[in-house]
Structure formats: structure tokens, C-alpha cells
Amino acid sequence: MKLLYILLSATLLVACNTQTTAPAVNYLENYVSDVTYLAHDSLEGREVGTQGEVIAATYIAERMKKIGLIPKGDDSCYFQVFTRKMKAHPHDTLMLGDEIEGRNVLGFIDNNSKSTIVIGAHYDHLGYGEEGSLSDSAGQIHNGADDNASGVAAMLGLASKFKNVKLKSNVLFIAFTGEEKGLWGSNYFVKNSTLSNSEMNFMINMDMVGRLDSNNRLAIYGIGTSPVFKPILDSCNTWGFKSKFDSSGVGPSDHTSFYLADVPVLHFFTGQHKDYHKPTDDTEFINFEGIVMVADYIESVVLSLNKLDTVPFTKTKETSNKARAFKVTLGVIPDYLYDGIGMRIDGIKQERPAQIAGIEKGDVVVKMGEFEVKNMTDYMNCLSKFEKGITVIVQVKRGESVLNKKVVF
Ligand SMILES: [Zn+2]
């Protein structure tokens, strides 16, 4: 027994000596410190073009450097800087024509391959909530711990994981800015990248992965963008995630920019909550063990995808109607994890058509005008049919009752 023990120890010692001397990473600890730093009040909500954004970007670049990622921004640094002109918005502090400077943060693992996997998460948020806030009390710092310090933390965790694994593809990690303003950073990257679209193997996006609930509900978008995704997502799910799959490559986050450039995409999201786009989206409500699970799951999915020769791209059907350029909006936040009949509303924007018509959070939209709304796709299709200025009867279910609300778009 003792001899066996000594032999075993000796074998282990030899095995250890042949390994690299990279120190063990405490992922949970890193997720806590990354989210805590990024969602701290001193970063003032990380709005693109502000000092808080610069501090956040600098922090992410330092983390990438420490992990050992190669700078892949402009001029061999980690930042990819761009400027955008602000659109006019009545509640904006910035006026039409004001130029905003934003920066994506890019770090690279070179595995000497012609193809590259992109893993991204946006790091910007709403600042003081001048635009996009769902809070009634204006002017407070919106820390965005879940949206999306959580995704950035998971991305940095995956960078540590893949740093010492020789994958078939290179891996590019990107922290996007300006997502909250309309996917600015990812859009700029796709159109100004040194990588051609065909060099991008597939793209993984994480936007809000910090609120895994006790049922382990996880939404995964874009599974229709490659036929290989669904079987791999299923076979890798040894964590008991209750997955809600969505086929479309077009959704409310940065993966959309890549999908529109014909890159297969997967977007991971732990779901809406009452603090979404409010000053209360804070670190204290983050489920860090949940981030561990989601990042480990994504690691396993990427390792499986890496074994394939190619990840073929397929267009998903919803985009046939020209990326759904809506002329109208209801001004609500849909519950993307709802799997009943209809479109459940998870948040109402102030002074927008739904709120003015008396529609409330929790209502389930089942009909708009003459069109039935059975799911999110029906809802999106309805919006693309309506013109600005028209009045539509929207039928909602509220508890047991069915109400008809007159919405003016
Ligand atoms: Zn987000």
C-alpha cells in the first residue's frame, strides 16, 4: 500500500514536472473581482465616450496582458478606437453631430491557424441612464453588473482557459463598446477587421450571464446559424441547463453584427430580471457560481466545435425580411425566456406607445391588429408590418383576463 503510494506520487510528480508552470487560476475569485471592479460606482456606468469607459477598457486590457493575450487592436495595442456621430434624441445630453470616441478591447491567442474563433462580450453600459434606462428616477449610476460586466468576466475566464490549450483555430477575445447605443463596437469591428469574414470560424457572444436562476434556465440564440450547433450544445450540457433555444442570428446584442457578415454565432444569456437597465443591476445580485457554470459549458462547447473541420454557416429565416427594419416600436422589453403562447412583456419604457396605451409589465401580447402573436418571431413580424402613426388594437392577457388596448405607433 505504502509502496504503491510512493510510486503513484513519483508518477504524479513526473507528470507535474512536464506541465507548464502556469499557476492554477481561481476562476470564481476572478469572476468576483472582475465584476466588482467593472460595476463599481467609480466607473459611472461605463457609457461609451466617457471616462468610465476608458477606465474599464484599461482594466480589461491589463487583464488580457496578464493572461498573456497578444494585443490585437490598432498599432499593436489592445484598443481599437473609432468615432461615431450621435443621433438626435430628445433626452440626450449629447446633441446631434457631437462626436463620440469609443474603444473596443482586443486580445489574441495565436495558434498558427488560418481560422479564428471570436469570443466577445460588450463592456459598456448606460452611464447615468440618460438613454435606455427603465428606471423612473433619472440621473443615477447604472452599474450594469449583469449587463454586461458578467459577460466580460466570463470572456476573460475563457481566455485563461484557452491560453494553455492548443486549439485548431486562433482565438480572438473582444470586449465591445457602444453596444447599448446600437451595437457600435461590434459593427465597427466587423467592417474594419484585419480578419476577413471567411477567416472567422464562429462567434460566441455573452451578454448578461450573471443571473442564472435556481432552475438553471439559459437562453441560447443563433442555433440556426450552423447545423452543427444544436447537437453539440445538447451533448455538452452536463450541467443540467434548462435551455431555451432561439434559431435566429439576429437578436438584441453584438452577435448580430457577425451573423450579418455570414459568421455562425451563438449568444448566451441567463435571462431578464427586474433590475434590467436600472441602477439596481448591481454586483450583490450576481450568481457567480452561475457564471462558473456558463463559462465551463461554453468552454466545453468550443472544445467540441474545435474538433470539427468546419462550422458551416446557414442563414436563419427571420432575416429574409431585410434584417427587420422596423418603422415602429411598442417600447417594451420582451421576456426572451418565456415559452408560453404569446410575447410576455418584462419591462415597459416610459412615454412609449405601450405605456401610453396602458399595457403593463407582465402582460402577454397575443394579437396585434389582425395578426396572432404566438411567439417572439410573430411579434417581430407584426412590427415590421406596421407604419408609424397608425392605431392598432393590441390584445394582451393579464392574469385571467384578456384586454384590448388601443396602441398608437
Ligand atoms: Zn447588454
Side-chain angles (χ1 to χ4, degrees):
M1 187 72 186
K2 200 171 178 190
L3 181 68
L4 182 65
Y5 176 71
I6 292 166
L7 278 172
L8 264 177
S9 310
T11 320
L12 282 174
L13 205 64
V14 172
C16 288
N17 283 342
T18 58
Q19 303 259 314
T20 54
T21 47
V25 178
N26 187 330
Y27 289 99
L28 181 64
E29 216 166 71
N30 284 350
Y31 297 146
V32 173
S33 57
D34 289 341
V35 171
T36 305
Y37 185 95
L38 292 169
H40 193 268
D41 275 353
S42 60
L43 273 67
E44 298 177 287
R46 309 184 305 276
E47 186 173 1
V48 58
T50 67
Q51 190 58 28
E53 183 222 26
V54 176
I55 298 170
T58 307
Y59 174 83
I60 296 163
E62 301 263 306
R63 287 278 289 117
M64 286 181 168
K65 190 176 176 190
K66 208 169 162 201
I67 292 164
L69 303 186
I70 301 164
K72 204 66 173 172
D74 309 324
D75 309 320
S76 317
C77 87
Y78 287 100
F79 302 132
Q80 179 186 45
V81 180
F82 62 89
T83 53
R84 284 286 293 247
K85 279 217 166 73
M86 198 60 209
K87 271 189 258 164
H89 188 284
H91 303 299
D92 273 349
T93 44
L94 290 153
M95 298 306 289
L96 177 70
D98 271 358
E99 223 164 55
I100 301 178
E101 189 179 88
R103 71 221 67 232
N104 294 326
V105 192
L106 288 80
F108 189 62
I109 297 173
D110 190 352
N111 288 324
N112 204 7
S113 171
K114 281 197 165 56
S115 84
T116 296
I117 297 164
V118 179
I119 299 181
H122 79 88
Y123 73 94
D124 69 300
H125 195 52
L126 301 173
Y128 285 85
E130 301 285 343
E131 190 190 355
S133 177
L134 290 172
S135 162
D136 306 329
S137 43
Q140 291 182 54
I141 297 175
H142 289 56
N143 287 315
D146 184 32
D147 188 7
N148 183 31
S150 67
V152 175
M155 179 193 72
L156 292 169
L158 287 163
S160 296
K161 288 170 188 292
F162 293 136
K163 181 65 186 74
N164 297 308
V165 184
K166 178 89 176 146
L167 297 180
K168 276 208 258 182
S169 294
N170 311 316
V171 196
L172 178 61
F173 296 89
I174 314 179
F176 301 109
T177 193
E179 189 272 349
E180 302 285 8
K181 295 268 191 272
L183 316 185
W184 285 5
S186 53
N187 191 305
Y188 182 84
F189 169 80
V190 166
K191 291 180 179 144
N192 298 275
S193 167
T194 46
L195 292 171
S196 69
N197 299 347
S198 62
E199 284 170 301
M200 291 188 233
N201 190 350
F202 57 88
M203 192 269 177
I204 302 274
N205 182 33
M206 291 163 290
D207 191 355
M208 299 172 67
V209 293
R211 294 271 191 136
L212 190 69
D213 66 14
S214 52
N215 295 317
N216 293 343
R217 297 195 308 161
L218 182 65
I220 307 174
Y221 294 80
I223 65 152
T225 63
S226 177
V228 303
F229 282 155
K230 179 75 166 55
I232 284 181
L233 286 163
D234 284 337
S235 67
C236 290
N237 183 6
T238 55
W239 286 265
F241 287 112
K242 201 166 157 271
S243 308
K244 168 98 196 294
F245 293 120
D246 187 302
S247 157
S248 177
V250 173
S253 188
D254 294 304
H255 57 287
T256 305
S257 302
F258 290 80
Y259 168 73
L260 295 175
D262 293 351
V263 178
V265 295
L266 283 176
H267 166 45
F268 294 82
F269 169 47
T270 51
Q272 289 291 341
H273 46 79
K274 65 177 176 34
D275 303 308
Y276 173 73
H277 279 201
K278 288 184 180 166
T280 43
D281 178 4
D282 278 325
T283 305
E284 61 193 285
F285 305 118
I286 295 297
N287 176 358
F288 288 103
E289 283 81 11
I291 301 182
V292 171
M293 284 171 63
V294 172
D296 288 357
Y297 178 40
I298 294 173
E299 176 191 20
S300 134
V301 169
V302 170
L303 289 174
S304 295
L305 290 169
N306 176 63
K307 290 185 189 135
L308 306 174
D309 288 328
T310 56
V311 175
F313 172 76
T314 43
K315 273 206 188 309
T316 52
K317 67 170 184 271
E318 294 88 332
T319 46
S320 52
N321 45 18
K322 265 285 144 215
R324 297 207 205 95
F326 304 140
K327 297 188 195 81
V328 300
T329 102
L330 210 47
V332 302
I333 309 293
D335 177 356
Y336 293 97
L337 287 175
Y338 179 71
D339 49 14
I341 302 285
M343 189 282 289
R344 187 182 170 279
I345 295 171
D346 221 20
I348 299 271
K349 296 186 185 172
Q350 298 301 308
E351 296 163 50
R352 303 293 288 278
Q355 195 233 0
I356 293 164
I359 292 174
E360 294 175 4
K361 177 179 154 67
D363 288 352
V364 177
V365 174
V366 289
K367 205 170 174 191
M368 294 176 81
E370 62 196 282
F371 308 108
E372 304 265 348
V373 176
K374 292 204 186 67
N375 50 41
M376 189 67 70
T377 309
D378 288 353
Y379 168 66
M380 300 281 204
N381 286 338
C382 274
L383 286 184
S384 65
K385 284 171 192 145
F386 299 139
E387 298 287 331
K388 217 164 180 70
I390 68 161
T391 301
V392 171
I393 301 297
V394 173
Q395 195 170 82
V396 299
K397 275 190 170 162
R398 183 178 300 166
E400 295 302 298
S401 33
V402 177
L403 312 170
N404 288 313
K405 297 286 179 185
K406 200 187 265 183
V407 172
V408 184
F409 283 110

